[in-house]
Amino acid sequence: MFRENVVYGEVLGAGLLADIAAPEGEGPFPIILSIHGGRWIRGDRRDNTAIDVREWAGYGFFAMSIDYRLVTCTPAPACYQDTLCAVRWVHAHRDEFYLDTGRFYLIGMSAGGHLVSLAATLGEGRFDRSGGWEDQPHSFTAAISVSGAYDLRRLDWGSGWIPPGEPWDEARRYASPIEHVAADNRPQLLLHADNDNSIPIQQALNMAAALDEAGAPHEFIHYTDRGHMPIDDEIVAQSRAFIERL
């Protein structure tokens, strides 16, 4: 099964779109939800910062890749609210698509990595629910952050996170996953390279150290020369292996 342009939420009359794919059969299927990169200002659910949903359906997953409101159109935290809306949509449709919400994984690259790591550490936080499915939970099993951002205050393009009516530094602090590390965080897989020119490796090193100190469940795969990594065959293989270990 493959469907394009599925409306997973609605905000002010505008639809939030996703592509979904699932294996044949009765399930219940594990779930992978993909959040694309692009510094929250560009990118989409079908570029190389997101998964190929049909590929993951071939691995036996219900796979979903979403678009979210970009900060060039709607300021933060809209992109994060949309991410959480997609999680709720999955829970609301678990019976329709024969889903096992006890095996529910988020994957994001770059800005998407930031968003899934924030979901794993902060959760809903103080952000209002929007888009629909407000009676559904935000629960999921684990997050996979590829070339992700963890401290917006120490990232040049973190300046794009400007919620209206909030002090800039406090908004960026609150939206930084490293600020919410705790022992009860959702498990995370971090993947990062030394020569990442978009998000310095120090972000991942500091995040891994904070997770270690807190006793939070995580794995860190540290590359030397893979740059700002897209979702390629290596990332897919490492992500599948992480899921199997869980």
Side-chain angles (χ1 to χ4, degrees):
M1 182 274 289
F2 172 63
R3 297 182 189 173
E4 297 178 285
N5 302 319
V6 173
V7 177
Y8 72 87
E10 184 176 310
V11 180
L12 299 176
L16 304 171
L17 299 181
D19 293 342
I20 62 174
E24 298 300 324
E26 297 183 358
F29 304 117
I31 304 140
I32 189 157
L33 169 61
S34 176
I35 316 298
H36 70 78
R39 302 188 174 192
W40 320 297
I41 64 172
R42 58 179 176 267
D44 62 63
R45 65 190 186 274
R46 297 172 185 162
D47 67 22
N48 68 355
T49 70
I51 65 169
D52 179 336
V53 293
R54 283 172 285 198
E55 176 187 5
W56 278 85
Y59 300 139
F61 286 75
F62 176 88
M64 180 176 183
S65 184
I66 68 167
D67 285 342
Y68 51 80
R69 287 173 289 168
L70 303 174
V71 297
T72 46
C73 173
T74 307
C79 50
Y80 186 59
Q81 291 170 301
D82 295 349
T83 298
L84 296 181
C85 177
V87 173
R88 298 195 304 271
W89 183 95
V90 169
H91 282 281
H93 292 80
R94 58 188 174 275
D95 294 335
E96 178 181 352
F97 294 108
Y98 310 107
L99 306 182
D100 181 356
T101 53
R103 295 183 292 160
F104 185 175
Y105 309 97
L106 309 187
I107 184 170
M109 183 268 172
S110 189
H114 161 253
L115 295 172
V116 303
S117 185
L118 192 60
T121 53
L122 173 64
E124 183 174 5
R126 67 190 184 201
F127 301 121
D128 294 334
R129 295 188 176 204
S130 65
W133 324 108
E134 284 84 358
D135 61 338
Q136 296 297 317
H138 292 128
S139 57
F140 62 93
T141 306
I144 300 163
S145 176
V146 184
S147 303
Y150 307 104
D151 190 343
L152 303 189
R153 296 166 301 174
R154 293 174 173 81
L155 182 67
D156 55 2
W157 54 265
S159 59
W161 192 275
I162 314 175
E166 292 188 34
W168 186 41
D169 282 346
E170 167 57 19
R172 290 186 299 157
R173 185 203 66 79
Y174 189 71
S176 296
I178 200 168
E179 291 291 323
H180 307 287
V181 168
D184 62 352
N185 289 167
R186 293 293 84 206
Q188 295 186 73
L189 172 63
L190 315 182
L191 305 103
H192 221 99
D194 287 334
N195 62 337
D196 189 321
N197 292 321
S198 181
I199 301 174
I201 185 62
Q202 197 62 46
Q203 291 256 328
L205 295 173
N206 291 347
M207 183 64 171
L211 292 164
D212 278 333
E213 183 176 356
H218 72 285
E219 297 181 22
F220 176 33
I221 299 178
H222 186 172
Y223 296 98
T224 58
D225 60 355
R226 300 198 76 242
H228 196 53
M229 296 176 287
I231 305 294
D232 59 13
D233 290 344
E234 166 68 11
I235 298 303
V236 170
Q238 293 287 4
S239 298
R240 292 180 65 198
F242 171 69
I243 289 169
E244 285 297 318
R245 289 191 293 274
L246 288 176

